[in-house]
Amino acid sequence: MGFLHLSELTDQAVETPERLVDEGELITVKVAEVDLQRHGVRLGAAGEADGI
């Protein structure tokens, strides 16, 4: 489980995240970056072009 920044879901301005997804909705994401020093990852939206 993790958090996905709203900017990873769309390039367009939206008033609230609820316009794109529902709270608690499961979505497929990809690991966009691994930060070994901070022991963290940055998640990105997985799209059809990613083959996921």
Side-chain angles (χ1 to χ4, degrees):
M1 183 183 295
F3 292 97
L4 182 67
H5 193 271
L6 182 60
S7 65
E8 294 288 344
L9 291 175
T10 183
D11 293 333
Q12 300 175 0
V14 292
E15 292 178 23
T16 64
E18 290 82 10
R19 293 196 177 265
L20 300 174
V21 294
D22 294 322
E23 183 177 344
E25 180 178 350
L26 298 178
I27 59 172
T28 302
V29 298
K30 63 181 178 181
V31 175
E33 182 180 354
V34 175
D35 187 339
L36 295 176
Q37 290 180 330
R38 294 175 59 190
H39 303 281
V41 296
R42 183 173 65 83
L43 300 176
E48 292 179 23
D50 298 317
I52 296 176

